[in-house]
Amino acid sequence: MLSEDLITQCKLRLEPFACEGFVYGAGPTRPLLMFVGEAPGETEINNGIPFSGKAGRYFDHYLEHLGITRNDIYITSSVRSRPYKWGKPHNKPARKYNRTPNQKEIAAHAPILDAEIEATKPPIIVPMGRIAYWRLLGSSPKMEELTGTFIHSPIRRLDDWEKNTYDFTPEIYTIFPLYHPAAILYKRSLETVIYTHLNELKSALKNI
Ligand code: URA
């Protein structure tokens, strides 16, 4: 679906940054939903499967609750490589830790997500977490204020590859922001509200 040329260019754009591996988006050409995450972690860059690590277990529960499978959806992320930082646990050798991607890293891989959206035309895009929301809509409200509601809006696409500036699509997309599944790992109490949001999304699926 994506040209290898585009991927090569985007990999080059990311080269100056502390990021490793590359995970391709996965899913059919006409998905029911597109889920957009933040960036892969260690598990994903080793096996190439998006959302296959700890957060992936919760992501699979999302799908189960929605009554759909990975074959029905497209899964991708704002950055396709793992942003890392070095750290040293007590009495253990230094190792890499995941970190949040910065704006330059997100812009480096932005053309990939732009191309995936253009090619698959998902009826609903589900950004999971603050980074994916910012990537698509350009603002960072509090997650509790924006999750679980439908937004009809143009989305951002990279406009100038040198200056890393975005413009907005002429098309209006339907966006349904959700908490990132990793949020449950840090705050168990979010589970109830997340499942309320998933019920909303499930109802909307009946009309696609
Ligand atoms: N978070 C993401 O955004 N993608 C993954 O594959 C895993 C965690």
Side-chain angles (χ1 to χ4, degrees), residues 23 36-41 44 49-53 55-56 76-79 128 180:
V23 179
V36 184
E38 180 174 312
E44 288 84 8
I49 304 168
F51 281 97
S52 50
T76 182
S77 57
S78 308
V79 175
M128 298 189 292
H180 192 284

Side-chain angles (χ1 to χ4, degrees), residues 62-135:
Y62 283 13
L63 297 184
E64 221 173 281
H65 192 79
L66 292 169
I68 57 180
T69 72
R70 287 186 180 230
N71 294 332
D72 303 313
I73 58 147
Y74 197 92
I75 320 174
T76 182
S77 57
S78 308
V79 175
R80 317 307 287 272
S81 302
R82 175 199 187 198
Y84 64 83
K85 59 177 181 233
W86 284 99
K88 195 183 167 326
H90 184 60
N91 279 343
K92 291 204 178 122
R95 69 170 189 89
K96 290 172 182 170
Y97 287 89
N98 294 345
R99 64 172 169 79
T100 305
N102 63 40
Q103 293 193 9
K104 286 186 178 157
E105 291 162 345
I106 295 167
H109 278 184
I112 300 178
L113 181 58
D114 293 342
E116 287 173 315
I117 293 173
E118 209 175 300
T120 59
K121 300 191 177 18
I124 303 177
I125 304 179
V126 183
M128 298 189 292
R130 201 174 49 81
I131 293 293
Y133 184 92
W134 178 85
R135 162 66 182 86

Side-chain angles (χ1 to χ4, degrees), residues 105-187:
E105 291 162 345
I106 295 167
H109 278 184
I112 300 178
L113 181 58
D114 293 342
E116 287 173 315
I117 293 173
E118 209 175 300
T120 59
K121 300 191 177 18
I124 303 177
I125 304 179
V126 183
M128 298 189 292
R130 201 174 49 81
I131 293 293
Y133 184 92
W134 178 85
R135 162 66 182 86
L136 292 170
L137 291 154
S139 60
S140 294
K142 290 196 176 113
M143 284 309 285
E144 59 267 32
E145 286 163 17
L146 58 92
T147 43
T149 52
F150 284 95
I151 300 166
H152 301 282
S153 169
I155 54 173
R156 296 201 306 162
R157 58 183 182 187
L158 196 70
D159 172 38
D160 188 314
W161 285 43
E162 311 246 301
K163 296 193 192 121
N164 286 342
T165 50
Y166 296 81
D167 64 3
F168 279 89
T169 56
E171 301 87 12
I172 304 281
Y173 287 87
T174 300
I175 322 281
F176 189 79
L178 278 182
Y179 280 98
H180 192 284
I184 301 174
L185 291 169
Y186 303 110
K187 199 170 171 196

